[in-house]
Amino acid sequence: GPIGVAAAALLSRLTEADSAKDRGNVYFKDRRWEEAVECYEDALRASIRDAEFCAVLHTNIAAALRKVEQREADALKHAIKATEANPRYAKAYFRRGVLHYDAGRWRQSLDDFQRARELEPKLQGLDQWLKRGRHAAREGTDRKNHYKALNLQCECEPEEIKKRFRQLARECHPDKVRDAPDQERVAAEARFKAVNEAHEVLSNEKARREYDFGTPEQDFDPFGGGFHGMHRP
């Protein structure tokens, strides 16, 4: 009867959603980010408004879009949707925290990492990001975003830093805009200075480690609850 038909249709959609998600995971592992996103979006369309499943898909889309140039804003939208779909899903806050960190919103990134820890203390990879978030939030708004200056993310390899620096140093060298209007020239000089400064810090292993995590003394956290005096209202 009609109930059986409806149940079969529902089952078919759920199966379709699961298999689209599985295909997305395969593409994700292969670093084929845009194809992964397409599969996850297919899964979202097929899913029957299952909030927990949707939260996982939005989180996966956010993680994949982070790897696609110029898609940061879309990645953040999906991470936000994930936290709304399932406010108890630690990975959603973790992914949103990473995006805040990339953009230099240090305080917000730390808040999200701490929320993720409350929900799932053993979440893989979280400890390292918590260290990053704590150190960045401690340095505050004066902290420069060296990775963003080089259009890189903080997990990048030393080779990528060298390669990107050479490329950007050529592209934004002040000599290229010598005859440009003052405003353009000043902007190019500031960009060139930021690129040089970022390279200086990130190409030195010790300086990079301190920029990322602070010094071991700064990160001493005997009670596991962050630093005293850090939690501003």
Side-chain angles (χ1 to χ4, degrees), residues 61-72:
I61 292 171
L65 286 177
R66 177 179 180 244
K67 299 292 188 180
V68 182
E69 275 192 39
Q70 309 293 315
R71 297 297 301 273
E72 304 89 351

Side-chain angles (χ1 to χ4, degrees), residues 12-13 20 27 37 39 53 72 85 98 104 115 131 139 141 154 158 167 187 194 201 207-208 211 215 224 233:
S12 156
R13 280 188 68 180
Y27 282 129
V37 168
C39 292
F53 186 65
E72 304 89 351
V98 168
R115 179 79 181 115
K131 277 186 190 173
E139 290 202 325
T141 48
C154 62
Q167 177 199 336
V201 171
R208 180 182 178 183
Y211 173 74
T215 59

Side-chain angles (χ1 to χ4, degrees), residues 96-233:
R96 189 173 70 178
V98 168
L99 292 162
H100 282 319
Y101 185 92
D102 289 341
R105 294 184 289 269
W106 317 120
R107 183 73 236 172
Q108 284 161 279
S109 80
L110 179 59
D111 289 344
D112 274 344
F113 296 146
Q114 287 176 330
R115 179 79 181 115
R117 183 170 70 172
E118 284 163 22
L119 292 166
E120 195 181 327
K122 298 268 188 284
L123 184 63
Q124 196 183 345
L126 179 59
D127 280 353
Q128 201 177 35
W129 281 99
L130 259 169
K131 277 186 190 173
R132 283 192 179 108
R134 272 203 293 263
H135 175 59
R138 192 166 48 229
E139 290 202 325
T141 48
D142 294 339
R143 176 181 164 86
K144 290 179 177 174
N145 196 340
H146 290 321
Y147 291 104
K148 199 174 181 187
L150 296 178
N151 291 333
L152 290 169
Q153 289 166 349
C154 62
E155 314 94 310
C156 63
E157 297 294 331
E159 262 316 302
E160 292 175 80
I161 292 168
K162 257 186 240 170
K163 190 176 163 190
R164 185 57 59 91
F165 171 67
R166 283 198 293 265
Q167 177 199 336
L168 290 174
R170 279 196 305 272
E171 278 175 22
C172 61
H173 198 282
D175 286 353
K176 287 206 159 186
V177 288
R178 219 177 351 202
D179 305 320
D182 283 353
Q183 205 178 347
E184 204 178 309
R185 207 169 61 248
V186 168
E189 281 164 8
R191 175 96 176 92
F192 188 67
K193 187 181 168 204
V195 163
N196 270 296
E197 204 178 323
H199 177 253
E200 208 171 292
V201 171
L202 301 180
S203 61
N204 175 310
E205 195 184 337
K206 182 174 184 286
R208 180 182 178 183
R209 195 168 50 247
E210 286 187 5
Y211 173 74
D212 284 354
F213 302 112
T215 59
E217 306 81 69
Q218 283 176 315
D219 205 54
F220 179 61
D221 184 13
F223 307 108
F227 282 81
H228 296 297
M230 264 196 61
H231 300 285
R232 291 187 297 278

Side-chain angles (χ1 to χ4, degrees), residues 24-41 56-72 74-76 78-79 95 98-99 102 153:
N25 290 345
V26 171
Y27 282 129
F28 193 98
K29 282 197 182 86
D30 282 347
R31 306 173 73 81
R32 291 163 69 177
W33 312 119
E34 282 160 297
E35 287 142 306
V37 168
E38 273 177 41
C39 292
Y40 294 141
E41 284 177 339
V56 171
L57 292 170
H58 282 301
T59 300
N60 291 359
I61 292 171
L65 286 177
R66 177 179 180 244
K67 299 292 188 180
V68 182
E69 275 192 39
Q70 309 293 315
R71 297 297 301 273
E72 304 89 351
D74 293 328
L76 184 61
H78 281 282
R95 290 293 176 199
V98 168
L99 292 162
D102 289 341
Q153 289 166 349

Side-chain angles (χ1 to χ4, degrees), residues 14 17-19 21 43-44 46-48 50-58 86:
L14 288 172
D18 274 336
S19 74
K21 175 178 174 270
L44 266 176
S47 72
I48 316 290
D50 172 347
E52 287 186 13
F53 186 65
C54 289
V56 171
L57 292 170
H58 282 301
N86 181 5

